[in-house]
Amino acid sequence: MPSPTREESKGETGQAENGATNSGDRESGTGDRLACALEMEMTTRSLHGDSKLDCDGLINRNGGDSAEVSVPLSLPGKRTAHMEGDDLYRLRNRKFLLEDKRRLCALALGTALLGILLTIIHAELCPLVYTPGSNIALFINCSISLSTGCLLILIIAFHYKDIRLFVIDHNQVDWRIAMTSHRVLVITLELLVCVIHPVGTYWEVGLHTNSSSSAPLCVSNHHGRALMDMELLLSVLMFLRLYLVHRAILLHSKVLLSASYRSIGSLNNINFTFRFVLKILMNKYPARTLLVFILFFWLTASWMLTLCERQTKAMTGQMDTAMWLIAITFLTVGYGDVAPNTSCGKAVCLFTGVMGVACTAMLVAVVTKTLALNKGEKHVHFFMLDIQISKRIRHAAANVLRECWLLHRANLTRGNRGEHRRHQRCLLEAIRVFRHLRLKQKKLRDYVSEMVDLPKMQMIMCDLSANWNNSYRELEQRILSMEQKLDELSRCFQQTSEMLSHVLRHRNTEIR
């Protein structure tokens, strides 16, 4: 028979082992919760199938019920355990990649704007400041080409970081899986848009005698009119690089930088796109956003129209006239005093008219939202309207009674027929006004009843639920008290019966 001391030592050893196991489980659970918190802080959902780390330390994907393919991170035949260090390493790399993408996007936008600015400077200053074909012209053209090359390198680096981010988000899959047809098409289109820029050596062509007109185009001496049209088209198409603005706004917005926004958005399956950021900007700063866009579009379209109309001797080749034409076209007024002469100028004016209609619609929506009454103002306004209509209904009812009395008195006196008809006419008019006011009050109350105040309804339902709970508790207490009283009554009956039986037995013994 084992001794008690040995059994106690074994029990203590088992308890120590269980305690160590529980402490290890608590430590692993703490590490899993730490990884979950870091994932919630740093993860943004760029695709619908992004992987998440749930609070149990497991990796789940939002791909529906389809089967998931896991790519092993070790050699074939070897199984690797899931470690916290790998998750933290992936999260840290993801954060660094997002910062690199943000930095590369800002550099790409700055390079694109620099190229557009150099093109504008070259078109405006040649040949008034320097002679065509000089070293200054060659330097500016080389600078434009150099900025274009830098922009292409930055675009390629940006998409390289994006592919690496895709690989990290999908648990170290092969990078070739990320090269879908859509991604390849987007990269190709971006490179084609960014490579567009005017090239060549320049000479003076078509110098105007009017000194107040803008500087003429500098085109090549070897190709004449065809090269001038090509340089004009390339200079206008350089403004397509401004598509980088929406990417910069998205990556540098407070929505994407805020950890709370990203965590709540991931839980609600919200994709943080430029459309979502634009909606937030239009809700928070509608007037400021529209004003900046309209001013930027006005200046850009005016310079593009000046560049297109510079070939002709028309007034639209001057900046002030072009700004006037763009303004009246944007506002869809069109006085007809000036009109574009070239196909390029007509295309710019057509695009300006379309954008003017769109901006006018947005402006109307913003003004309507600004002038609309809020919930409290609507309640006050409709309450006062209801009071006023109720007063008018009481006055109309009093008028109906008065006209009825006057008509009855006219019938009793049997006076003039004209007075009788006048009272009848007044009575019918009073009845019509009374019915009209009652109908108006009914419509007003129907409209007010349609305005469902959700917070108020929620408070009412919470109050009702609390009252029901209190009533239920009171009913339970009453039932318990009734059960206690019934138990006391049953005990009293039992005691009474015992006493009666005892008394009867005692009397029976005395009788015997």
Side-chain angles (χ1 to χ4, degrees):
M1 181 175 178
S3 62
T5 308
R6 187 177 301 174
E7 290 178 354
E8 290 177 358
S9 63
K10 287 183 179 180
E12 291 175 357
T13 306
Q15 290 177 1
E17 291 178 355
N18 293 331
T21 305
N22 294 331
S23 64
D25 293 338
R26 285 194 296 270
E27 290 177 0
S28 62
T30 305
D32 293 339
R33 287 192 294 270
L34 177 60
C36 175
L38 289 173
E39 180 74 82
M40 293 286 288
E41 287 291 330
M42 295 186 227
T43 305
T44 54
R45 300 196 43 179
S46 58
L47 297 171
H48 289 288
D50 286 350
S51 61
K52 293 182 182 178
L53 187 70
D54 59 8
C55 293
D56 295 330
L58 301 176
I59 295 177
N60 299 326
R61 289 180 175 84
N62 298 329
D65 297 332
S66 60
E68 296 291 335
V69 179
S70 61
V71 181
L73 300 180
S74 61
L75 295 175
K78 295 183 179 181
R79 299 180 63 183
T80 58
H82 184 72
M83 299 177 64
E84 293 181 16
D86 296 336
D87 295 331
L88 297 177
Y89 179 75
R90 285 198 311 117
L91 293 174
R92 186 184 64 180
N93 285 346
R94 195 179 195 284
K95 180 180 178 181
F96 291 157
L97 286 174
L98 286 173
E99 292 178 356
D100 292 341
K101 281 182 62 177
R102 194 177 299 117
R103 193 180 303 112
L104 288 172
C105 181
L107 291 175
L109 179 60
T111 307
L113 293 176
L114 177 62
I116 294 173
L117 182 61
L118 289 174
T119 303
I120 294 174
I121 291 173
H122 175 70
E124 293 294 330
L125 298 184
C126 176
L128 296 181
V129 177
Y130 53 85
T131 58
S134 63
N135 294 328
I136 302 178
L138 181 61
F139 175 74
I140 293 182
N141 292 326
C142 292
S143 300
I144 295 173
S145 301
L146 181 61
S147 66
T148 302
C150 294
L151 179 60
L152 294 177
I153 294 173
L154 291 172
I155 293 296
I156 294 173
F158 177 83
H159 285 287
Y160 170 72
K161 297 291 184 181
D162 194 15
I163 293 172
R164 284 192 59 190
L165 186 63
F166 180 86
V167 171
I168 290 178
D169 285 342
H170 292 79
N171 199 12
Q172 303 295 334
V173 297
D174 192 357
W175 65 272
R176 287 183 288 269
I177 298 177
M179 298 303 294
T180 59
S181 58
H182 176 73
R183 188 184 294 271
V184 172
L185 180 61
V186 169
I187 294 174
T188 306
L189 287 177
E190 287 191 19
L191 293 177
L192 288 177
V193 167
C194 294
V195 81
I196 296 174
H197 69 286
V199 293
T201 58
Y202 295 89
W203 287 85
E204 182 181 356
V205 172
L207 188 61
H208 301 302
T209 57
N210 188 8
S211 60
S212 63
S213 62
S214 300
L217 283 174
C218 297
V219 296
S220 177
N221 188 30
H222 304 286
H223 301 281
R225 183 58 178 264
L227 184 58
M228 183 172 64
D229 294 337
M230 185 184 69
E231 295 295 330
L232 173 64
L233 180 61
L234 293 176
S235 300
V236 172
L237 290 179
M238 278 192 69
F239 284 91
L240 292 176
R241 299 181 180 184
L242 295 176
Y243 80 93
L244 294 170
V245 174
H246 86 280
R247 181 179 294 170
I249 293 175
L250 174 63
L251 293 177
H252 291 82
S253 63
K254 294 182 180 179
V255 175
L256 198 63
L257 295 177
S258 176
S260 57
Y261 260 109
R262 288 184 281 122
S263 301
I264 297 174
S266 299
L267 293 175
N268 292 278
N269 295 326
I270 300 297
N271 293 324
F272 290 96
T273 59
F274 177 71
R275 184 183 302 175
F276 179 68
V277 176
L278 183 61
K279 289 178 181 178
I280 292 177
L281 289 176
M282 287 298 296
N283 283 325
K284 293 178 66 176
Y285 314 107
R288 193 182 307 175
T289 305
L290 280 178
L291 181 63
V292 170
F293 175 76
I294 290 173
L295 289 178
F296 180 76
F297 180 80
W298 181 39
L299 295 176
T300 304
S302 300
W303 187 83
M304 291 172 65
L305 180 61
T306 304
L307 188 65
C308 293
E309 297 292 320
R310 197 169 291 176
Q311 304 175 17
T312 63
K313 296 182 180 181
M315 295 295 293
T316 51
Q318 300 179 8
M319 189 63 183
D320 54 351
T321 308
M323 292 177 69
W324 166 251
L325 179 59
I326 291 296
I328 62 176
T329 306
F330 186 85
L331 298 174
T332 64
V333 178
Y335 291 107
D337 52 349
V338 288
N341 297 316
T342 60
S343 299
C344 178
K346 293 177 181 178
V348 171
C349 289
L350 179 62
F351 182 70
T352 302
V354 174
M355 294 302 297
V357 173
C359 290
T360 303
M362 288 190 291
L363 184 61
V364 170
V366 169
V367 172
T368 303
K369 183 180 178 181
T370 305
L371 296 178
L373 298 175
N374 57 23
K375 194 176 296 182
E377 293 172 347
K378 285 182 179 179
H379 283 302
V380 172
H381 176 64
F382 290 138
F383 181 75
M384 296 304 299
L385 282 180
D386 191 25
I387 291 177
Q388 293 175 3
I389 292 176
S390 299
K391 290 181 179 179
R392 293 176 62 185
I393 287 175
R394 288 195 293 270
H395 288 299
N399 290 333
V400 170
L401 293 176
R402 186 188 64 181
E403 296 298 334
C404 286
W405 166 249
L406 293 176
L407 180 61
H408 177 68
R409 191 178 64 179
N411 290 331
L412 291 177
T413 56
R414 295 180 181 181
N416 191 5
R417 291 290 182 179
E419 184 180 359
H420 185 271
R421 286 192 295 269
R422 183 172 62 83
H423 288 303
Q424 284 184 342
R425 192 179 300 112
C426 292
L427 177 62
L428 293 177
E429 181 66 19
I431 292 173
R432 186 191 66 81
V433 172
F434 178 76
R435 289 177 178 176
H436 175 71
L437 291 175
R438 287 291 300 272
L439 181 62
K440 191 174 180 180
Q441 187 184 35
K442 183 176 180 298
K443 289 181 179 180
L444 179 63
R445 291 181 176 177
D446 291 340
Y447 182 75
V448 172
S449 63
E450 290 177 359
M451 295 172 53
V452 180
D453 193 354
L454 294 180
K456 186 176 180 180
M457 292 295 295
Q458 186 177 4
M459 292 177 60
I460 293 173
M461 294 302 296
C462 290
D463 293 338
L464 289 175
S465 178
N467 293 331
W468 290 339
N469 291 331
N470 295 330
S471 301
Y472 179 73
R473 293 192 188 95
E474 291 178 359
L475 183 61
E476 283 185 344
Q477 291 177 359
R478 290 182 179 180
I479 291 173
L480 290 175
S481 63
M482 290 178 65
E483 288 180 353
Q484 293 175 359
K485 291 179 179 179
L486 288 174
D487 292 337
E488 291 178 358
L489 286 174
S490 64
R491 285 195 298 270
C492 290
F493 287 148
Q494 186 176 1
Q495 292 175 0
T496 304
S497 62
E498 291 177 355
M499 291 177 63
L500 288 174
S501 62
H502 179 71
V503 169
L504 289 174
R505 281 196 303 270
H506 183 68
R507 291 191 63 182
N508 289 329
T509 53
E510 287 181 352
I511 292 172
R512 290 176 184 176

